[in-house]
C-alpha cells in the first residue's frame, strides 16, 4: 500500500513500489491529465511537481515519492497566471503535451520569476511538442512572468 | 463550455428526442449522391450539425477530428457567422459516425485529412447556420404577425421592425415546427466572426487536464493491454509461453492476435511487466532481411531506368541527350514516423450485438467498417466515438485501420472491455511511415539561364497501391500522391518530364503531413536554387520570372522576401534561403535565416512565412498551423530518419528519433495575404517549404549543398569539403 499526497489530498492504493508514478496517477487515481509520451524521460509529457520540483513521472517509482507533495495539472488552479497566459497566447494545438509544458513552466517561474530566453530554453527543452507550439510557449512564459516583451523577439 | 465533447449515436438520438423545446435542425442540402445516401439511412442519421436550446445554448456538431488544427473552433465559427448567434453561447460536440457527417467532397466517408476541413465544410456549415437563422426569423415574424423580411437576426436575438427583441431560446419551439428552408440565403455584407482571431473553444479543456484523449478513456471492468509485436514487418508468432506472464499480479489474459501476443492486465504497468515475461518464438517471414541501405541501392538502379510517365511536356529527354551542359542531382529522403505525442491506442467494448469504440481517429468510417468485420457485426452495430487526438498528421487515418483492428481482436479474444495502448517503441517500430524517396533530376538551361528541359524521376513506394483506395486514386499506374508538387509544378518549364517508379516491399507506408509534397518540394525548390546559382541569378528573382503567370505564388514569394529583408545585409555567419510551394489549395513562401555552429549543426534563427490560403476563418489558427507545419518540417529536415537493418527498425524512441525542441525552435513570423479566393488548406501546406528553405540558406551561407535529408552535421561536413 502506498500513500501519496496529490494536489493536497492524501490518496492510497495497493501497488508495487517500483510502479512509475505516472501510471499510479493515471490508472489508480484517474488523474489522466498527466500524459504518457515516451516512458523514458525523453519527452516531458508526464511532468509533475514533487515538492515543487518538476519530475518525469514515467521514470519516477511511486515508492520514492511517498509522503512528498505531488502536484499534477489538475492541481493548478484555473486562475493561475501560467494557465491564463497559455489561454492568452492560444498555445495549445492538439493539447497533449500541454499539461507537462505548463508544469515545467510553473516550476520555472517559481524558481526564476522573470526568466530570460536562455532560462526558458534550459527549463523547457525537455518538453517535446510535436505540434510545434514552442514560440507561443516562450511568449506565454514571458506573459506569465509579467515581463513586457517586444511582440517580436529579436532573432538570437 | 460543455465538458462532454463526445456523444454516441444512441445518446444523440436520445437527447434529440428528449430535447423538448429544443430545435434540432435537419439540414438536407443539395449534395447529390451523398444526400441520397444520407436520406436512405434515416434510422442512424440524426442529420444535424446544429442544436439550439431553450437555454440559448448553440451546439455545433463537428464531423472533423480535433487533432490540433482547431476544427472545434473554426467549424463552429462558420455556422455561427450565418446563424447570427451570440458566440459566448456556442459549444461544440464531436459527431457520431453517420452518413450526414461524411466528407462533403471525398465521398461516403467520415474522414479528417487533406487539409480539407474548412474548405470542404464552408458551404455546408454556412448553409446550416443560414437555414436555422431563417427559421428563427420566420418564427419571430409569425409571433409578431409581421413579414419575415422586416425582421433581422443579431447576436442571438431576432429583432422586429419596431425594435422588439426575442432571443433564439424563446423562439426554438415555434421554429422547430417550421419547414426547413430549401435554399437558405447566406448573409451579405460585413462578417462578424469570420476573419477574427476568435479564441479557441477547446483551449480551456486542453490546459486543465479534462480533455479526454483516446489514451484517457476508461470504463468499468476495463483492462489495459499491450501487444508483443514481431520484430519484422509481417512476422508471425510460432509459439509462446505465457506462464510467467500469467503469474504476474494483475495480468488477466494473454492472447494471440494478428499483431502479436497481447497481455491484458488491470493496469498499463502490469501489462508492460507481464509482456516482458513472455517467451515467444517468431517466424520472421519474407521481410527478415530488408534494409534501407539495400533499398537505397535498388532505388538508385530503378532511377537509372525509365519509369511510368506522370507528366510529359515537350521533348525534355531529347534536349537533355543533346545538351553539353546539363546539371544532374540525386535527392534522397528517408522513411519518417508520424510520432504523434499521443501514441496510438484504442478502447473497445464488444458485446454480442454491439460494439463501442472510443479512440482518436481521422478515418472513422473505414475504421468502423474494419472493426465491424473483425467483430462479426454490421457497421451500424458499432458505435464509434471520436475523442481528442493527441496529434494525427495522417497516422490516425490509417488505410489498414491497424490500431483499431488489433484492439477489436484483443477485445474479442478476452471478452472484456479493453484499451490497447502502444508504447512509444511500439508506435515507432510497427509502422506506418512516410515512404523513403529517391529522386534523380536533370536539367539544362536556355540562353537566358532559365530551365529549358527538366527531367525528374521519382522512386518510392505508393501509399495507395494495395489499399481500398487504389481503384480511385491510382491512374495508369501513377499514384498522384507520389508525384504531386512535381508533376503539377507551376514553374514555367517548357520541356518537363516526370516519371515514377513505385517499388514494393514490406514496409507499411501512409500519408504523412503534406504527403507527396513533403518530398517533392524539397527536390523542386532545392534544384531550382541550384539552377539559379548556375545561371548566376538571384534565387528569389529567378523564381519570380518562372512564376510570372502565377500571381498567388508570386505574391507570397515577394511578401516573404520583403518581410525577411531579402538582399539586405545580415549579421556575419548568417544567410537566408527561400522556397515557395503550393499545396492543398494554399500558396506558401518561407525564408529561413540560418547559421552553422562549430560542430557543423544548422541553427535556424528565424523563419518568415507568407501564406495565401484564400478566404479565411480564423487568422490566429492559420498562424498556429503555419508555425506547427514549420516545426514539423524542420524536425524532418534536421533530424528525422527511420532506418531498417535486418528487417528491424533501428529507432524506437525520441533519443533515436529526435524532434525539434524549444531551444532549437526558430522565431516564426507569419504574414497572411488578404484574399477573396476559395479557401485553401492550412494543416499541411506549412510543412513542404521549410526543408528546402533551410537547405538553400545553408548553401548561401557556405556553398554546401545538401541533397539528402536529414541535414546532419556529418553530411554537412562532407558537403563543406566539396563546396
Ligand atoms: S512520458 Fe515521461 S518523459 Fe516522456
Ligand atoms: S500541442 Fe500537440 S504535442 Fe504539443
Amino acid at each position: 500500500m502506498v500513500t501519496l499526497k496529490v494536489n493536497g489530498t492524501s490518496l492510497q492504493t495497493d501497488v508495487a513500489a517500483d510502479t512509475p508514478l505516472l501510471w499510479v496517477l493515471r490508472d489508480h487515481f484517474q488523474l489522466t491529465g498527466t500524459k504518457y509520451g515516451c516512458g523514458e524521460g525523453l519527452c516531458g509529457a508526464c511532468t509533475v511537481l514533487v515538492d515543487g520540483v518538476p519530475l518525469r513521472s514515467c521514470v519516477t517509482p511511486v515508492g520514492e515519492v511517498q509522503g512528498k507533495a505531488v502536484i499534477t495539472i489538475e492541481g493548478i488552479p484555473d486562475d493561475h497566471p501560467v494557465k491564463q497566459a497559455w489561454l492568452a497566447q492560444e498555445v495549445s494545438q492538439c493539447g497533449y503535451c500541454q499539461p507537462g509544458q505548463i508544469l515545467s513552466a510553473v516550476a520555472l517561474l517559481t524558481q526564476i520569476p522573470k526568466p530570460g530566453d536562455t532560462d526558458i530554453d534550459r527549463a523547457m527543452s525537455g518538453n517535446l511538442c510535436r505540434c510545434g507550439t514552442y514560440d507561443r510557449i516562450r511568449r506565454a512564459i514571458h506573459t506569465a512572468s509579467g515581463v513586457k516583451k517586444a511582440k517580436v523577439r529579436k532573432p538570437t | 463550455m460543455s465538458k462532454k465533447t463526445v456523444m454516441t449515436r444512441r445518446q444523440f438520438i436520445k437527447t434529440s428526442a428528449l430535447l423538448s423545446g429544443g430545435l434540432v435542425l435537419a439540414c438536407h442540402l443539395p449534395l447529390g449522391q451523398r444526400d441520397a445516401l444520407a436520406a436512405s439511412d434515416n434510422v442512424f442519421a440524426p442529420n444535424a450539425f446544429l442544436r439550439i436550446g431553450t437555454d440559448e445554448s448553440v451546439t455545433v456538431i463537428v464531423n472533423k477530428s480535433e487533432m490540433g488544427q482547431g476544427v472545434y473552433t473554426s467549424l463552429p465559427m462558420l455556422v455561427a457567422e450565418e446563424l447570427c448567434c451570440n458566440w459566448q453561447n456556442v459549444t461544440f460536440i464531436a459527431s457520431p459516425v453517420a452518413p450526414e457527417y461524411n466528407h462533403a467532397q471525398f465521398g461516403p466517408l467520415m474522414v479528417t485529412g487533406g487539409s480539407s476541413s474548412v474548405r470542404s465544410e464552408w458551404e455546408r456549415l454556412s448553409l446550416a447556420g443560414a437555414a436555422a437563422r431563417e427559421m428563427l426569423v420566420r418564427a419571430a415574424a409569425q409571433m409578431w404577425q409581421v413579414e419575415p423580411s422586416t425582421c433581422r437576426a443579431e447576436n442571438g436575438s431576432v429583432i422586429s421592425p419596431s425594435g422588439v427583441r426575442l432571443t433564439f431560446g424563446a423562439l426554438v419551439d415555434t421554429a422547430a415546427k417550421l419547414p426547413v428552408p430549401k435554399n437558405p440565403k447566406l448573409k451579405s455584407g460585413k462578417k462578424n466572426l469570420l476573419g477574427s482571431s476568435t479564441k479557441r473553444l477547446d483551449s480551456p479543456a486542453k490546459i486543465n487536464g479534462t480533455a479526454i484523449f483516446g489514451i484517457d478513456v476508461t470504463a468499468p471492468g476495463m483492462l489495459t493491454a499491450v501487444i508483443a509485436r514481431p520484430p519484422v514487418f509481417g512476422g508471425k508468432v510460432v509459439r509462446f509461453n505465457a506462464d510467467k506472464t500469467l503469474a504476474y499480479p494483475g495480468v488477466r489474459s494473454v492472447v494471440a492476435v494478428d499483431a502479436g501476443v497481447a497481455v491484458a492486465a488491470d493496469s498499463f504497468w502490469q501489462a508492460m511487466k507481464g509482456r516482458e515475461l513472455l517467451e515467444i518464438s517468431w517466424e520472421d517471414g519474407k521481410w527478415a532481411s530488408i534494409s534501407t541501405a539495400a533499398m537505397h541501392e535498388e532505388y538508385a538502379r530503378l532511377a537509372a531506368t525509365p519509369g511510368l510517365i506522370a507528366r510529359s511536356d515537350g521533348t525534355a529527354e531529347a534536349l537533355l541527350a543533346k545538351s553539353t551542359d546539363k546539371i544532374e542531382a540525386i535527392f534522397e529522403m528517408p522513411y519518417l514516423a508520424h510520432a504523434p505525442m499521443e501514441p496510438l491506442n484504442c478502447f473497445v467494448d464488444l458485446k454480442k450485438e454491439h460494439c463501442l469504440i472510443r479512440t482518436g481517429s481521422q478515418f472513422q468510417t473505414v475504421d468502423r467498417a474494419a472493426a465491424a468485420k473483425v467483430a462479426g457485426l454490421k457497421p451500424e452495430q458499432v458505435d464509434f466515438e471520436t475523442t481528442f487526438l493527441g496529434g494525427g498528421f495522417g497516422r490516425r487515418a490509417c488505410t489498414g485501420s491497424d490500431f483499431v483492428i488489433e484492439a477489436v481482436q484483443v477485445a474479442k479474444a478476452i471478452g472484456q472491455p479493453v484499451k490497447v495502448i502502444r508504447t512509444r517503441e511500439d508506435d515507432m517500430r510497427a509502422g506506418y511511415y512516410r515512404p523513403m524517396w529517391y529522386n534523380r533530376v536533370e536539367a539544362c538551361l536556355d540562353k537566358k539561364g532559365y530551365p529549358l528541359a527538366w527531367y525528374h524521376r521519382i522512386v518510392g513506394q505508393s501509399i495507395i497501391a494495395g489499399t481500398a483506395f487504389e481503384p480511385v486514386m491510382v491512374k495508369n499506374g501513377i499514384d498522384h500522391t507520389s508525384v504531386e508538387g512535381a508533376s503539377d509544378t507551376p514553374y514555367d518549364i517548357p520541356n518537363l518530364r516526370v516519371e515514377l517508379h513505385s517499388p514494393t516491399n514490406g514496409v507499411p507506408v501512409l500519408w504523412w503531413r503534406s504527403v507527396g509534397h513533403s518530398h517533392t518540394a524539397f527536390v523542386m525548390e532545392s534544384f531550382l536554387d541550384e539552377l539559379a546559382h548556375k545561371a548566376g541569378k538571384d534565387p528569389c528573382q529567378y523564381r519570380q520570372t518562372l512564376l510570372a503567370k502565377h500571381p498567388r505564388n508570386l505574391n507570397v514569394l515577394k511578401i516573404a522576401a520583403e518581410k525577411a529583408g531579402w538582399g539586405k545585409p545580415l549579421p556575419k555567419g548568417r544567410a537566408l534561403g527561400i522556397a515557395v510551394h503550393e499545396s492543398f489549395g494554399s500558396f506558401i513562401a518561407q525564408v529561413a535565416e540560418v547559421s552553422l555552429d562549430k560542430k557543423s549543426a544548422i541553427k535556424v534563427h528565424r523563419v518568415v512565412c507568407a501564406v495565401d490560403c484564400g478566404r479565411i476563418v480564423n487568422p490566429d489558427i492559420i498562424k498556429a498551423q503555419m508555425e506547427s507545419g514549420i516545426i514539423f518540417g524542420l524536425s524532418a529536415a534536421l533530424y528525422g530518419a527511420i532506418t531498417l537493418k535486418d528487417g528491424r527498425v533501428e529507432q524506437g524512441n525520441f533519443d533515436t528519433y529526435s524532434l525539434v525542441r524549444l531551444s532549437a525552435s526558430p522565431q516564426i513570423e507569419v504574414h497572411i495575404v488578404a484574399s477573396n479566393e476559395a479557401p485553401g488548406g492550412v494543416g499541411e501546406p506549412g510543412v513542404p517549404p521549410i526543408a528546402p528553405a533551410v537547405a538553400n540558406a545553408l548553401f548561401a551561407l557556405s556553398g554546401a549543398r545538401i541533397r539528402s535529408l536529414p541535414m546532419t552535421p556529418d553530411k554537412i561536413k562532407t558537403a563543406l569539403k566539396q563546396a
Side-chain angles (χ1 to χ4, degrees):
Chain A
M1 192 63 77
V2 295
T3 306
L4 294 182
K5 212 169 126 217
V6 185
N7 302 329
T9 309
S10 178
L11 298 172
Q12 276 200 341
T13 185
D14 190 9
V15 67
D18 64 348
T19 307
L21 172 62
L22 170 64
W23 298 105
V24 178
L25 293 170
R26 291 180 55 83
D27 286 351
H28 294 253
F29 301 147
Q30 280 72 53
L31 290 167
T32 54
T34 308
K35 301 302 188 202
Y36 164 74
C38 70
E40 298 280 345
L42 301 165
C43 77
C46 64
T47 306
V48 297
L49 304 182
V50 176
D51 287 344
V53 177
L55 281 190
R56 306 298 181 226
S57 64
C58 69
V59 288
T60 305
V62 69
E64 286 180 13
V65 298
Q66 287 219 61
K68 297 183 183 166
V70 178
I71 301 287
T72 70
I73 190 68
E74 291 88 351
I76 305 290
D78 280 345
D79 60 358
H80 191 285
V82 170
K83 276 191 174 174
Q84 290 302 312
W86 245 246
L87 290 178
Q89 298 293 345
E90 286 286 27
V91 174
S92 300
Q93 289 193 26
C94 84
Y96 194 77
C97 73
Q98 299 301 342
Q101 305 278 7
I102 288 170
L103 286 158
S104 289
V106 168
L108 165 65
L109 289 165
T110 311
Q111 228 193 350
I112 309 175
K114 305 223 177 290
D117 281 337
T118 323
D119 301 318
I120 297 176
D121 280 357
R122 204 175 299 130
M124 300 302 295
S125 287
N127 288 79
L128 285 174
C129 174
R130 186 58 159 153
C131 299
T133 61
Y134 301 123
D135 224 17
R136 289 173 188 241
I137 289 173
R138 189 188 295 283
R139 283 209 301 270
I141 291 174
H142 285 309
T143 307
S145 73
V147 175
K148 288 230 164 33
K149 270 274 177 177
K151 232 171 128 199
V152 174
R153 178 169 57 97
K154 276 249 159 59
T156 48
Chain B
M1 191 187 52
S2 157
K3 272 206 186 119
K4 188 160 176 57
T5 54
V6 172
M7 202 186 219
T8 65
R9 188 176 61 243
R10 276 168 311 136
Q11 279 171 322
F12 190 92
I13 291 165
K14 217 165 85 193
T15 357
S16 304
L18 286 177
L19 205 76
S20 55
L23 163 63
V24 178
L25 181 65
C27 300
H28 285 280
L29 300 171
L31 287 164
Q33 242 187 332
R34 285 178 294 283
D35 197 36
L37 224 165
S40 70
D41 202 1
N42 288 329
V43 185
F44 297 106
N47 202 11
F49 289 95
L50 178 57
R51 184 155 56 93
I52 303 172
T54 45
D55 62 354
E56 310 295 341
S57 64
V58 173
T59 307
V60 177
I61 295 120
V62 181
N63 65 340
K64 298 295 168 194
S65 311
E66 166 50 39
M67 46 195 181
Q69 83 285 40
V71 283
Y72 284 167
T73 305
S74 52
L75 297 187
M77 283 173 77
L78 285 167
V79 177
E81 177 68 51
E82 287 296 331
L83 181 61
C84 302
C85 60
N86 179 346
W87 179 253
Q88 303 308 320
N89 296 332
V90 176
T91 58
F92 60 86
I93 200 159
S95 83
V97 184
E100 282 80 351
Y101 302 114
N102 286 346
H103 198 285
Q105 292 163 351
F106 290 0
L109 291 177
M110 184 166 154
V111 46
T112 306
S115 296
S116 68
S117 297
V118 162
R119 293 191 281 163
S120 63
E121 290 300 336
W122 192 298
E123 187 185 4
R124 177 158 68 176
L125 294 182
S126 298
L127 289 171
R133 169 183 26 89
E134 285 187 11
M135 292 169 81
L136 292 159
V137 167
R138 263 192 276 146
Q142 196 175 310
M143 288 162 85
W144 291 322
Q145 304 202 333
V146 298
E147 269 299 303
S149 62
T150 62
C151 307
R152 68 196 160 89
E154 191 186 281
N155 201 27
S157 294
V158 178
I159 305 168
S160 81
S162 58
V164 179
R165 282 170 181 264
L166 273 174
T167 64
F168 286 0
L171 290 165
V172 293
D173 281 340
T174 314
K177 296 186 190 101
L178 297 173
V180 179
K182 287 217 168 55
N183 296 304
K185 276 197 198 52
L186 298 182
K187 274 171 36 177
S188 56
K190 210 182 139 281
K191 305 282 186 233
N192 290 323
L193 282 169
L194 300 191
S196 72
S197 288
T198 303
K199 289 283 174 194
R200 286 178 67 134
L201 295 176
D202 56 354
S203 289
K206 285 178 175 175
I207 60 158
N208 64 18
T210 59
I212 297 295
F213 296 84
I215 204 166
D216 303 327
V217 169
T218 185
M222 180 191 86
L223 298 180
T224 302
V226 292
I227 299 176
R229 295 162 196 275
V232 167
F233 300 119
K236 293 268 174 293
V237 180
V238 179
R239 74 188 90 79
F240 67 94
N241 180 337
D243 293 350
K244 287 185 213 145
T245 303
L246 285 164
Y248 192 81
V251 172
R252 301 291 164 201
S253 294
V254 178
V255 293
V257 292
D258 290 348
V261 181
V263 178
D266 294 337
S267 68
F268 174 86
W269 193 249
Q270 291 165 323
M272 283 284 287
K273 290 304 237 188
R275 183 172 80 166
E276 282 167 20
L277 298 169
L278 281 174
E279 289 160 24
I280 308 175
S281 61
W282 301 100
E283 189 195 298
D284 282 349
K286 63 176 172 175
W287 307 116
S289 60
I290 56 172
S291 73
T292 36
M295 277 179 215
H296 184 269
E297 283 172 28
E298 184 207 341
Y299 285 18
R301 271 196 305 278
L302 280 171
T305 66
L308 294 175
I309 298 165
R311 169 98 180 247
S312 185
D313 293 358
T315 55
E317 214 178 348
L319 286 163
L320 283 159
K322 271 195 306 199
S323 170
T324 53
D325 197 20
K326 65 179 180 187
I327 309 114
E328 290 181 59
I330 302 293
F331 290 89
E332 302 157 281
M333 280 139 276
Y335 286 110
L336 292 171
H338 302 73
M341 280 313 294
E342 179 198 13
L344 296 172
N345 57 74
C346 181
F347 167 85
V348 181
D349 184 0
L350 179 58
K351 301 265 160 44
K352 211 162 156 229
E353 298 198 334
H354 178 256
C355 181
L356 170 65
I357 293 182
R358 299 186 72 192
T359 189
S361 169
Q362 302 174 241
F363 229 26
Q364 291 90 339
T365 310
V366 170
D367 288 344
R368 187 177 72 152
K373 202 170 158 203
V374 175
L377 298 172
K378 296 195 194 86
E380 299 76 36
Q381 292 171 293
V382 180
D383 271 329
F384 197 102
E385 296 184 11
T386 307
T387 60
F388 278 106
L389 282 64
F393 317 120
R395 182 62 185 88
R396 288 182 155 95
C398 184
T399 46
S401 295
D402 60 342
F403 64 101
V404 175
I405 287 176
E406 68 190 27
V408 180
Q409 286 185 343
V410 175
K412 196 173 169 180
I414 69 173
Q416 248 179 295
V418 67
K419 175 170 64 181
V420 176
I421 296 179
R422 290 192 183 191
T423 64
R424 175 57 59 193
E425 288 80 2
D426 295 343
D427 190 277
M428 202 167 280
R429 291 190 178 133
Y432 288 54
Y433 308 104
R434 195 284 303 268
M436 175 175 131
W437 294 103
Y438 187 96
N439 294 260
R440 182 168 178 270
V441 215
E442 294 176 0
C444 61
L445 305 180
D446 64 18
K447 285 197 202 81
K448 289 188 188 141
Y450 292 100
L452 174 67
W454 177 297
Y455 192 166
H456 183 176
R457 270 196 204 129
I458 298 173
V459 185
Q461 285 164 270
S462 164
I463 57 172
I464 301 296
T467 74
F469 299 89
E470 180 167 349
V472 198
M473 292 179 72
V474 178
K475 301 235 163 71
N476 302 321
I478 303 277
D479 173 351
H480 182 68
T481 71
S482 298
V483 295
E484 59 186 1
S487 67
D488 48 7
T489 179
Y491 286 119
D492 195 357
I493 303 171
N495 300 282
L496 172 68
R497 191 172 171 100
V498 180
E499 294 176 359
L500 174 67
H501 287 283
S502 307
T504 53
N505 60 45
V507 185
V509 287
L510 191 61
W511 24 57
W512 181 96
R513 196 176 189 178
S514 81
V515 199
H517 301 280
S518 74
H519 77 276
T520 55
F522 181 63
V523 180
M524 297 303 300
E525 288 301 296
S526 296
F527 198 54
L528 208 80
D529 224 70
E530 295 193 42
L531 300 189
H533 180 70
K534 168 104 180 169
K537 294 186 195 294
D538 172 75
C540 182
Q541 271 302 326
Y542 196 72
R543 285 174 171 81
Q544 288 185 29
T545 307
L546 292 169
L547 290 170
K549 291 180 207 138
H550 297 270
R552 296 177 76 186
N553 309 58
L554 195 58
N555 188 38
V556 290
L557 185 66
K558 284 182 180 165
I559 293 173
E562 191 210 308
K563 301 284 184 191
W566 187 263
K568 301 232 173 79
L570 284 166
K572 201 170 166 292
R574 301 274 180 99
L576 300 183
I578 196 162
V580 57
H581 195 76
E582 166 187 347
S583 60
F584 307 93
S586 291
F587 304 80
I588 295 186
Q590 288 167 9
V591 176
E593 182 180 327
V594 310
S595 67
L596 267 183
D597 71 12
K598 287 196 196 78
K599 291 179 184 147
S600 298
I602 296 176
K603 164 98 182 148
V604 182
H605 300 268
R606 176 184 182 222
V607 177
V608 176
C609 172
V611 49
D612 173 358
C613 56
R615 286 200 301 279
I616 65 174
V617 174
N618 186 319
D620 193 55
I621 290 179
I622 294 168
K623 273 189 184 170
Q625 282 309 294
M626 292 303 118
E627 292 160 7
S628 177
I630 287 164
I631 299 296
F632 196 87
L634 197 56
S635 286
L638 300 182
Y639 316 126
I642 291 288
T643 55
L644 286 125
K645 207 177 158 196
D646 300 326
R648 276 118 177 114
V649 173
E650 295 183 288
Q651 295 70 28
N653 211 320
F654 296 122
D655 49 349
T656 43
Y657 191 78
S658 300
L659 303 177
V660 168
R661 292 177 180 271
L662 186 135
S663 52
S665 170
Q667 177 205 315
I668 299 171
E669 290 168 41
V670 179
H671 301 275
I672 304 172
V673 173
S675 168
N676 267 322
E677 300 279 350
V682 295
E684 294 165 275
V687 178
I690 189 63
V694 170
N696 294 340
L698 177 68
F699 177 79
L701 179 73
S702 66
R705 175 60 68 182
I706 302 290
R707 301 186 188 88
S708 162
L709 295 182
M711 295 181 248
T712 57
D714 280 351
K715 289 183 196 166
I716 294 170
K717 276 179 208 148
T718 311
L720 281 170
K721 281 184 205 134
Q722 292 160 359

